[in-house]
Amino acid sequence: LRTLRAGRAAMIFQDPRAAINPLRRIGDFLTESVRLTGTMSAADADRRAVELLDAVGLKPDLLRRYPGRLSGGMLQRVMIAAALMGDPVLLLADEPTTALDVTSQAEVAALLGRLRERFDTGLLFVTHDLGLAAAISDRVYVMYAGRIAEHGPAEALFERPRHPYTAALLAATPALDAPAGRLSAIDGQPPDLRRALTGCAFAERCRHATGIRREQVPAQQGGHPAACHHPLEGSRTDG
Ligand code: SF4
């Protein structure tokens, strides 16, 4: 696993304060993966750490500081730099902006987009923020109850959602220019995943459920695929 983490795939966690050891200096944290696997000498690891701190907009003197001296936004940049240490093929970013204030969220999201291009790295970005998903992703996978409900190019998926869950999520997104009134919500609760799911996992909450083949797990079908027996066509609402 260490070899995998140091070279192929790296993870950026949601809350950098929970993921970075507060008792170790930033330099130790940054170089740990390549030191433990022996993929770089200590001198090369230090040089790479300085280069990556610069890439994420931080000064090299942070290497000797402890995490408690840094803000949440700075720590998340350190986390991103640590993830890039082994030159990974894939970055897994699990809600990397959720624990940050709004300004830091925008900065970190923009930074990830730039770094992805500069280091030619794939980015799997997990988020509950649909606007962020639309802004940062080429391709979006909408998950419900552990299954892929729908996937496709970001633009097509947001313009023409085909799965009722995607459409309901988009309808529930507040807009600043929307007329005053009650916000749209998805009735009901997610299914209890301790029980085996039969049929469509969204059926209990779906306005389009007909009962037809409700007991069958829907197969992915259509232009951009949706796991639904009755996918929506040409609409942005779940009406
Ligand atoms: S399969 Fe039926 S219940 Fe499930 S999302 Fe599609 S329309 Fe709704």
Side-chain angles (χ1 to χ4, degrees), residues 10 14-15 25 47 63 69 78 96 105 114-115 145 148 151 154 158 162 166 173 186 199 222 228 239:
Q14 186 176 119
D15 181 359
R25 293 179 198 271
R47 263 194 298 277
L63 287 177
R69 307 284 299 276
V78 168
Q105 280 184 2
R114 288 198 301 274
L115 293 176
I148 297 170
H151 64 97
F158 283 100
R162 300 185 68 240
T166 313
T173 307
I186 304 175
C228 177

Side-chain angles (χ1 to χ4, degrees), residues 163-164 200 202-203 206 208-210 218 227-230:
H163 195 285
C200 174
F202 191 57
C206 181
H208 303 272
T210 59
C228 177
H229 296 312
H230 316 288

Side-chain angles (χ1 to χ4, degrees), residues 1-7 9 37:
L1 278 177
R2 275 182 182 164
T3 310
L4 182 74
R5 287 174 190 141
T37 50

Side-chain angles (χ1 to χ4, degrees), residues 84-151:
L84 289 167
M85 271 304 281
D87 202 12
V89 177
L90 176 65
L91 276 179
L92 302 166
D94 178 16
E95 301 234 24
T97 59
T98 305
L100 306 178
D101 62 75
V102 177
T103 309
S104 301
Q105 280 184 2
E107 289 172 359
V108 167
L111 176 67
L112 276 171
R114 288 198 301 274
L115 293 176
R116 178 179 63 161
E117 288 193 6
R118 175 171 165 185
F119 291 93
D120 194 22
T121 302
L123 177 65
L124 181 63
F125 192 92
V126 181
T127 182
H128 284 96
D129 185 329
L130 295 175
L132 198 51
I136 210 164
S137 313
D138 300 320
R139 190 167 190 85
V140 174
Y141 289 75
V142 179
M143 305 286 297
Y144 186 78
R147 296 176 182 162
I148 297 170
E150 177 171 7
H151 64 97

Side-chain angles (χ1 to χ4, degrees), residues 30-43:
L30 277 176
T31 56
E32 184 177 24
S33 62
V34 290
R35 278 188 293 108
L36 287 177
T37 50
T39 47
M40 261 184 221
S41 68

